[in-house]
Amino acid sequence: MFNYRAIAVIKRELREKLMSKAFILMTILLPVFMIGIIGFQTWIMSFEGDKNTKIEIITEDLSLTSKFESSFNELSFVKDTTYTVSFNTLSSAGLKEYIDSKKQLLIDEKLHGVIFIPDTALTNKEVQYYSKTPNNRTITEKLEGPINKVLLDQYFSEKGLSEDELQFARMEVDINGFKVSDEDEFKEEGFGNLILSYIFTFLLYLSLIMGGQMMMSSVQEEKTSKIVEVLLSSIQSKELMTGKILGGAITSTFQMAIWLIPIILLISTTWFVLPPELTLDITLFHLIYFLINFFLGLIIFLGLFGTVGAIFDTAQDAQSGMWPVMLLIMIPFFISFSVLRNPSNAVAEISSFVPFATVIVMPGRMVAGDVPLWQLIASIFVNIGTVLAIFPVAGKIYRVGILRTGKKPKWSEVIKWLKFKY
Amino acid sequence: MNALEVKNLSKSFGDLKAVNNASFVVPEGSIFGLIGRNGAGKTTTIRMMMNIYIPDEGEVILRGIKVGQEFKNKVGYLPEERGLYKKMKVLETLLYFAELKGVTGKAVKKKAKEYLERFDLTDRIDSKVEDLSKGNQQKIQFISTILHDPEFIILDEPFSGLDPINTNLLKEIILEKKKEGKVIIFSTHLMDFAEKMCDHIAMIDHGNIILNGSLSEIKQKYSQRNVSINYEGDISFLNGHPIVEKVADFGNTTGITVNDPGQIQDLLKLLVERGVNVKRFDAHDISLHEIFIDLAGKEEDILEEVKNV
């Protein structure tokens, strides 16, 4: 199965893929694209669309109004005139009439909102917000904190507390994460690993699909252009498949290794300094494990994509026939994304040992939290086991499919192929 | 001495019996023709000989040993539906196919260049295959079939889709390889080519071998009652004549079958008496085409197919 013929195929695949413009372009563009997406999102977020917001704050008590006024005028977004806040004092009885008088302004959004803070707010913190779009969280979230602060001050000022005590009451709880491991020191851990685990999961997802698509179209090319029959007069289908899969897997792993270079530099040199909340707590071992896992995953999925490519005559039919394989990548991807916040939850833990899913879930888990070594090794064995289990079947379907032409086969027919003596 | 023995090969795809208990032998140093209509089972038989398909039953014996991978290395195979990697360069393509046969190094590179020169393709050596004309792509395909100097050359419908120049080129290669003592096996539904080139044939129809052996012996056997003539005049009186079994007009020549071998001289006499200007009178001559029609069924079907080529 692995001999000079398979090596010749690998060499051709590498020549074809590594030297191709598409490979070079993709290797450069993907990180640019990823950073671009993040940058774009941040940029979009900065447009909260609350420029020139006009808000009116009404309380029932003149002194409370002036406290709001002095406190709010200190706020940065009021100072830079992003928000224009006016103040008024009114009893709750007159509120209805007052809002009515402002109705047209509110509807035309010349005034974006009126916040009424009744006296009762000092006991239950219930505040009313009148607006054309009361669900616009951008405005309410921004004002919640400042309002709370004034209410707190007002509340505690009557209790005769000192400024220090007030300061304490205003503070929010700040949880600092310390990672407990076998090492002597408890390291303070930031978000770096969590972000990295998302990046790993995303890269795995994208690369497996990209590599798979390439594999599929390459098998398709050989099938539709009939090269495969010439090839099979020299080489066994097993050897051809092995060569193509390894060629594709080496290419994609090489590409992944290039993408990991920044991370390797980050953890092994002091050239770059990350802010403390973003520092990465991973070792070279993790990266090597990541690549080995990726390589095994490629062997599994390239095999499946190649098999799908062999089943169908046209690229179009193949596109529609690849959904079962796509699901095997997409479901673990979504599981992974939803469980990474808590890497030791049961779903994450179980799915990181399920064949196919382990390829995508385990690396993210490994980076997000501490995974014992035996689990990592077990995952590798699951992958190897998957390879051993699917390849006799995939190889058979490949062998039958690759020389078969005619109408689009049904899945039930494909299963019948397994019984063919080929 | 037989180079290849095909013994009782059978192959089914689901309910379709593609090849049924096929047996024939390919002698050393011969050009062997596997003849039959489209869909008769030629390609399936060849694929089984090549070990591309595993037969349901039967085996293929190469000089006394069952065929396997070692046979693949000795074979140059030109499938009916040809294919090359479009994006690959000409020389790369040739070297890759040779490498799959286990032939690498400077010698094969030199030989590839020699062939390219002979086929007038030296200036395209670094072109991509997709930039070549169809005729030139066919030439590349031939070269890749023979570059590793195979002992067996298997050609599946080698002349289909070839322009006249490439047809001649391929014939030239086949005859040259025959002189070198190689075994050439080709399948075709074109009887003319088979008749002109083959020493031995096997005729396959609906998956069954209906005839096989040396072409001259076969022709002798089937030609006892046959005459092939060229003439000027009217021979319609022969239709329904007591000594004539049938008359078949092939355009350039006409084939006449008499009821008994002894009646051939009578036929000549009859023609002369009726004032037919006989230009050629070939007794005991029969075309492979006629034999095939006799054995494999209705003439209309076959003529239809010949027209379609």
Side-chain angles (χ1 to χ4, degrees):
Chain A
M1 197 160 84
F2 191 77
N3 51 26
Y4 69 86
R5 285 183 292 273
I7 289 170
V9 176
I10 294 174
K11 279 194 328 209
R12 201 199 81 86
E13 293 287 321
L14 292 183
R15 250 198 322 263
E16 177 126 306
K17 294 209 174 104
L18 284 180
M19 304 293 166
S20 73
K21 282 187 203 110
F23 176 82
I24 297 165
L25 215 64
M26 207 55 219
T27 309
I28 298 168
L29 278 188
L30 187 96
V32 172
F33 182 70
M34 266 177 85
I35 292 166
I37 289 270
I38 295 167
F40 184 70
Q41 214 173 5
T42 323
W43 186 64
I44 288 282
M45 296 266 279
S46 71
F47 281 99
E48 285 172 309
D50 57 352
K51 279 222 166 83
N52 298 321
T53 303
K54 291 193 175 58
I55 295 290
E56 185 164 341
I57 292 178
I58 302 172
T59 75
E60 290 191 88
D61 179 282
L62 212 55
S63 74
L64 188 60
T65 307
S66 67
K67 275 190 178 143
F68 268 104
E69 191 164 0
S70 59
S71 173
F72 267 65
N73 284 339
E74 293 301 307
L75 295 172
S76 62
F77 56 85
V78 177
K79 271 186 181 164
D80 69 11
T81 69
T82 314
Y83 278 59
T84 314
V85 187
S86 53
F87 302 90
N88 208 337
T89 313
L90 214 65
S91 73
S92 56
L95 183 69
K96 172 84 174 74
E97 202 181 323
Y98 184 77
I99 300 285
D100 273 344
S101 74
K102 296 274 179 182
K103 204 169 182 177
Q104 204 51 46
L105 286 177
L106 283 165
I107 289 170
D108 292 346
E109 295 204 309
K110 292 203 167 82
L111 177 66
H112 295 88
V114 174
I115 294 171
F116 180 64
I117 298 164
D119 282 340
T120 50
L122 284 168
T123 52
N124 62 10
K125 289 196 181 172
E126 297 264 354
V127 170
Q128 293 157 21
Y129 178 56
Y130 296 88
S131 168
K132 189 186 176 191
T133 52
N135 285 325
N136 184 344
R137 300 285 297 154
T138 320
I139 295 175
T140 47
E141 267 174 17
K142 218 168 212 168
L143 297 178
E144 252 169 38
I147 293 171
N148 190 36
K149 179 171 176 282
V150 177
L151 290 177
L152 267 180
D153 285 357
Q154 179 71 11
Y155 182 80
F156 283 112
S157 66
E158 288 159 12
K159 307 277 190 238
L161 293 175
S162 72
E163 186 59 27
D164 279 352
E165 283 166 313
L166 264 180
Q167 196 62 41
F168 175 77
R170 282 185 203 126
M171 275 195 317
E172 284 181 24
V173 175
D174 183 9
I175 295 179
N176 295 307
F178 288 89
K179 183 164 173 171
V180 180
S181 64
D182 291 338
E183 287 163 48
D184 288 341
E185 242 177 293
F186 300 139
K187 266 190 264 174
E188 190 166 355
E189 186 166 84
F191 298 112
N193 276 29
L194 188 63
I195 292 172
L196 189 64
S197 69
Y198 281 116
I199 292 177
F200 273 11
T201 310
F202 188 69
L203 279 180
L204 276 173
Y205 170 76
L206 213 66
S207 297
L208 285 174
I209 287 183
M210 261 177 14
Q213 291 272 12
M214 275 208 288
M215 176 76 181
M216 196 172 80
S217 57
S218 160
V219 170
Q220 277 268 301
E221 187 204 349
E222 285 170 2
K223 178 173 177 174
T224 51
S225 68
K226 312 285 178 191
I227 302 163
V228 71
E229 193 163 357
V230 185
L231 295 175
L232 290 182
S233 74
S234 307
I235 181 170
Q236 288 172 24
S237 70
K238 255 188 288 182
E239 295 163 349
L240 177 61
M241 196 181 185
T242 308
K244 289 191 76 73
I245 290 169
L246 288 179
I250 292 168
T251 311
S252 293
T253 310
F254 180 68
Q255 189 172 49
M256 186 64 87
I258 293 176
W259 289 335
L260 291 187
I261 289 174
I263 297 169
I264 295 172
L265 294 181
L266 214 55
I267 59 169
S268 58
T269 68
T270 51
W271 300 350
F272 310 98
V273 181
L274 284 175
E277 61 269 29
L278 290 178
T279 48
L280 297 176
D281 178 29
I282 55 164
T283 61
L284 215 51
F285 165 80
H286 289 104
L287 295 177
I288 291 168
Y289 176 83
F290 178 71
L291 286 178
I292 292 173
N293 169 78
F294 179 54
F295 188 77
L296 286 169
L298 281 166
I299 291 180
I300 294 170
F301 284 106
L302 295 190
L304 293 178
F305 274 103
T307 306
V308 171
I311 294 173
F312 299 100
D313 275 11
T314 65
Q316 236 175 342
D317 288 348
Q319 287 293 338
S320 63
M322 72 178 185
W323 60 266
V325 184
M326 288 294 281
L327 285 184
L328 286 180
I329 297 180
M330 285 171 80
I331 293 171
F333 173 70
F334 289 118
I335 291 178
S336 198
F337 249 65
S338 47
V339 298
L340 281 179
R341 284 179 65 94
N342 179 4
S344 44
N345 95 21
V347 178
E349 203 152 342
I350 292 166
S351 62
S352 67
F353 293 105
V354 172
F356 305 109
T358 178
V359 175
I360 292 158
V361 180
M362 189 55 104
R365 248 193 87 205
M366 167 188 84
V367 179
D370 250 348
V371 176
L373 187 64
W374 71 264
Q375 292 200 356
L376 296 182
I377 294 170
S379 160
I380 285 185
F381 276 105
V382 171
N383 283 329
I384 293 173
T386 310
V387 171
L388 295 178
I390 63 171
F391 268 70
V393 177
K396 184 81 183 260
I397 293 175
Y398 177 83
R399 188 178 163 93
V400 178
I402 198 83
L403 284 172
R404 193 190 161 287
T405 51
K407 85 179 187 351
K408 184 177 166 187
K410 296 193 198 88
W411 289 110
S412 58
E413 291 173 80
V414 173
I415 289 164
K416 271 189 209 145
W417 294 356
L418 294 174
K419 292 183 207 143
F420 281 19
K421 190 178 173 193
Y422 256 80
Chain B
M1 174 75 181
N2 292 325
L4 268 179
E5 272 179 74
V6 171
K7 283 187 177 168
N8 312 103
L9 282 187
S10 291
K11 181 85 198 161
S12 299
F13 301 102
D15 298 329
L16 177 76
K17 189 111 186 169
V19 175
N20 183 21
N21 201 25
S23 300
F24 54 87
V25 295
V26 180
E28 290 284 2
S30 68
I31 298 184
F32 181 90
L34 187 61
I35 301 164
R37 274 187 263 187
N38 292 331
K42 299 185 298 280
T43 301
T44 306
T45 306
I46 285 183
R47 283 181 178 170
M48 281 191 282
M49 290 165 70
M50 294 291 309
N51 211 15
I52 293 175
Y53 285 161
I54 297 168
D56 294 342
E57 281 164 48
E59 53 187 2
V60 179
I61 309 288
L62 165 75
R63 293 182 182 133
I65 304 160
K66 204 173 164 189
V67 299
Q69 181 63 43
E70 71 287 355
F71 181 57
K72 287 191 175 180
N73 287 351
K74 291 179 186 163
V75 171
Y77 178 48
L78 183 68
E80 177 177 6
E81 308 217 47
R82 289 138 209 167
L84 295 167
Y85 288 106
K86 291 188 182 67
K87 302 275 177 202
M88 243 172 140
K89 290 178 181 170
V90 167
L91 187 63
E92 268 180 20
T93 302
L94 294 175
L95 296 179
Y96 176 58
F97 285 126
E99 190 178 358
L100 289 179
K101 299 284 189 186
V103 180
T104 52
K106 278 186 186 151
V108 68
K109 196 167 177 176
K110 187 166 161 262
K111 214 161 131 197
K113 285 180 178 165
E114 280 168 16
Y115 272 120
L116 287 173
E117 196 178 335
R118 181 173 161 195
F119 290 172
D120 218 11
L121 285 169
T122 305
D123 54 329
R124 310 313 299 269
I125 195 160
D126 281 323
S127 301
K128 282 185 180 170
V129 168
E130 63 184 350
D131 296 330
L132 264 52
S133 68
K134 199 164 175 242
N136 282 342
Q137 290 186 17
Q138 288 170 345
K139 290 183 187 171
I140 301 298
Q141 196 101 43
F142 303 155
I143 301 175
S144 73
T145 308
I146 54 174
L147 182 60
H148 59 288
D149 197 23
E151 288 175 51
F152 294 83
I153 298 169
I154 298 186
L155 312 162
D156 194 0
E157 296 284 2
F159 301 107
S160 72
L162 292 196
D163 60 42
I165 294 171
N166 278 338
T167 305
N168 275 337
L169 197 59
L170 184 56
K171 275 193 206 162
E172 209 177 284
I173 295 172
I174 291 175
L175 295 174
E176 185 183 305
K177 289 288 157 187
K178 189 195 161 155
K179 270 185 206 142
E180 289 172 22
K182 317 288 188 198
V183 178
I184 294 126
I185 298 168
F186 71 85
S187 85
T188 185
H189 65 278
L190 301 175
M191 302 299 152
D192 277 359
F193 280 112
E195 184 158 11
K196 282 178 190 147
M197 302 191 69
C198 295
D199 313 312
H200 287 75
I201 60 154
M203 210 178 262
I204 185 166
D205 191 51
H206 293 104
N208 296 298
I209 301 286
I210 53 175
L211 184 70
N212 92 86
S214 128
L215 185 62
S216 54
E217 281 168 24
I218 289 172
K219 282 178 84 165
Q220 209 184 350
K221 185 177 158 205
Y222 281 85
S223 67
Q224 294 302 320
R225 297 186 292 128
N226 230 71
V227 179
S228 146
I229 63 168
N230 287 12
Y231 67 94
E232 269 173 21
D234 181 15
I235 59 162
S236 55
F237 62 88
L238 290 178
N239 287 320
H241 194 280
I243 67 164
V244 175
E245 186 182 302
K246 70 172 191 220
V247 177
D249 188 357
F250 300 114
N252 287 335
T253 65
T254 303
I256 300 168
T257 312
V258 290
N259 286 320
D260 184 272
Q263 290 168 330
I264 283 179
Q265 294 307 313
D266 298 341
L267 176 67
L268 180 60
K269 205 171 128 200
L270 191 65
L271 287 169
V272 175
E273 273 171 15
R274 291 288 184 120
V276 177
N277 183 4
V278 179
K279 303 229 162 162
R280 188 175 70 89
F281 187 92
D282 230 335
H284 308 308
D285 189 34
I286 187 167
S287 68
L288 200 52
H289 190 109
E290 288 169 86
I291 299 175
F292 186 66
I293 291 166
D294 263 0
L295 293 172
K298 297 187 197 89
E299 175 151 16
E300 300 85 66
D301 291 4
I302 306 210
L303 287 178
E304 193 58 34
E305 278 194 24
V306 174
K307 262 182 225 154
N308 287 340
V309 171

